[in-house]
């Protein structure tokens, strides 16, 4: 599956956005305030969003939950329905642009769109490409028992199981190794 630079950026953005959802009632929200949203927007170089407000924060949190549902969708038809709602709600307006030193690429949001509509349109379309290509199963959650972070499995053979092999994957491999050693020694 060919993934363009823009699609990869949108995938990274949607994964990071979904991963700001608190995992349980005791965990802090990854987007606690407008300043955090401004930081998120700056980190992901989301253009054309203007001055952010509490209304933007509320709207982004709402679509964040809907994106999380896409990662949890049991099959492509369910994912497609969720993505269609997100993209339609954003008032998608595809247009070619070549800003900030990037070659021609497609923006799916209308000029002057809110940050929530911007995210819903661009990130929704990035996820839509995976459903269209029959690759929805690449939209995953970490299999580590104490981690449910979202990620997109871009491995060649669709074998990635953990959000980060250096943390979750390594931790589980070390635990399994220690358990085998303990069992072998008695």
């Amino acid at each position: 599956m060919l993934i363009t630079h823009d699609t990869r950026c949108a995938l990274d953005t949607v994964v990071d956005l979904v991963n700001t959802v608190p995992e349980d009632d005791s965990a802090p929200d990854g987007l606690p305030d407008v300043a955090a949203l401004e930081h998120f927007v700056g980190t992901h170089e989301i253009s054309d969003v203007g001055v952010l407000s509490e209304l933007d924060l509320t709207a982004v949190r709402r679509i964040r939950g809907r994106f999380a549902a896409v990662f949890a969708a049991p099959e492509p038809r369910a994912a497609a329905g969720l993505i269609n709602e997100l993209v339609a709600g954003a008032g998608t307006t595809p247009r070619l642009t070549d800003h900030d030193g990037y070659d021609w690429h497609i923006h799916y949001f209308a000029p002057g769109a809110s940050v929530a509509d911007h995210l819903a349109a661009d990130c929704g379309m990035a996820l839509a490409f995976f459903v269209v290509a029959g690759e929805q199963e690449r939209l995953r959650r970490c299999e580590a028992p104490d981690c449910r972070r979202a990620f997109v499995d871009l491995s060649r053979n669709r074998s990635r199981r953990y959000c980060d092999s250096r943390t979750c994957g390594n931790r589980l491999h070390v635990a399994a190794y220690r358990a085998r050693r303990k069992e072998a020694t008695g």
Side-chain angles (χ1 to χ4, degrees), residues 49-141:
V49 295
V51 177
L52 301 174
S53 69
E54 286 291 330
L55 292 174
D56 291 309
L57 179 62
T58 300
V60 168
R61 284 179 176 164
R62 187 173 37 256
I63 65 157
R64 171 182 73 174
R66 295 172 73 194
F67 278 126
V70 172
F71 278 82
E75 45 88 27
R77 185 166 304 284
L82 293 164
I83 293 167
N84 283 340
E85 288 174 15
L86 278 160
V87 172
T92 307
T93 308
R95 63 189 170 94
L96 289 168
T97 184
D98 67 340
H99 62 88
D100 298 329
Y102 293 106
D103 274 340
W104 289 105
H105 57 282
I106 301 172
H107 280 185
Y108 294 97
F109 59 94
S114 71
V115 67
D117 285 346
H118 180 131
L119 291 168
D122 271 1
C123 296
M125 289 304 299
L127 296 177
F129 295 139
F130 277 79
V131 174
V132 167
E135 300 284 351
Q136 184 237 340
E137 74 275 1
R138 289 181 181 269
L139 308 177
R140 297 192 174 165
R141 292 290 188 155

Side-chain angles (χ1 to χ4, degrees), residues 150-167:
F151 68 94
V152 178
D153 179 4
L154 296 177
S155 67
R156 191 172 285 202
N157 61 356
R158 298 177 193 88
S159 61
R160 187 170 162 198
R161 297 175 48 207
Y162 307 110
C163 63
D164 187 343
S165 62
R166 289 173 295 196
T167 55

